[in-house]
Structures are given as structure tokens and as C-alpha cells.
Amino acid sequence: MEQSLSQPLDTVYIVRIDGTRFGPFETQLEPNKALIWEVTLNAGAGDTLEHHKGAGVVDLYAITNTHFQPQMSGVQAHYTVRLRKAG
């Protein structure tokens, strides 16, 4: 399945434990996970995902796991990032 652009994409940033910030990335957030269509993603357990919702609203999620899925027939390379709501 290729990246679906039929629904609006969410804008997220990755903040490493050391405070280094990467992004923005466009993704589709789902309950407890985000799919990020990148072939290199500098993120891991313990880092934070910032979901920028507009009007200055930012939701924070703790990253619990990342998994890279290489490109396969009909599926773009991407990372699955497992999350839990921070705070």
C-alpha cells in the first residue's frame, strides 16, 4: 500500500533525548503509532514525537519503539513509530 494522500497528513517533529530536533515530517498519526515515509529516521525509544496541530497546539508522545520497513512491491519504505501519550 502506498502512502495515501486522500486524508490530510499530520506534521510531526522528532526530539532526541539530547534535545536535537528533526523534521518536519508528514505522517498519518493513528492511535499509538505514526507512519513516517522516510528511509533514514534518527529516532528511537525514549525520544519524543511532537504533533503540531496548528494554532500553536502541540501534542507530545513518548516513542516506545521504531521499526523500518524497506520498500516492497506496492509499499513505500517507511518507519512505524510506536507511541504513547506523554504527560
Side-chain angles (χ1 to χ4, degrees), residues 5-79:
L5 298 178
S6 62
Q7 65 184 39
L9 296 177
D10 299 295
T11 300
V12 299
Y13 291 82
I14 302 292
V15 181
R16 296 289 315 238
I17 293 172
D18 68 4
T20 306
R21 193 166 185 249
F22 297 95
F25 301 104
E26 290 187 331
T27 184
Q28 292 176 334
L29 278 177
E30 300 176 13
N32 302 319
K33 75 176 180 179
L35 303 177
I36 300 177
W37 289 274
E38 293 287 328
V39 294
T40 58
L41 185 68
N42 195 0
D47 294 339
T48 301
L49 182 137
E50 297 177 341
H51 176 208
H52 290 252
K53 298 169 71 171
V57 177
V58 178
D59 286 339
L60 301 178
Y61 296 87
I63 295 174
T64 59
N65 190 349
T66 60
H67 172 75
F68 178 68
Q69 174 63 53
Q71 182 173 344
M72 296 182 350
S73 177
V75 178
Q76 291 177 261
H78 65 277
Y79 275 86

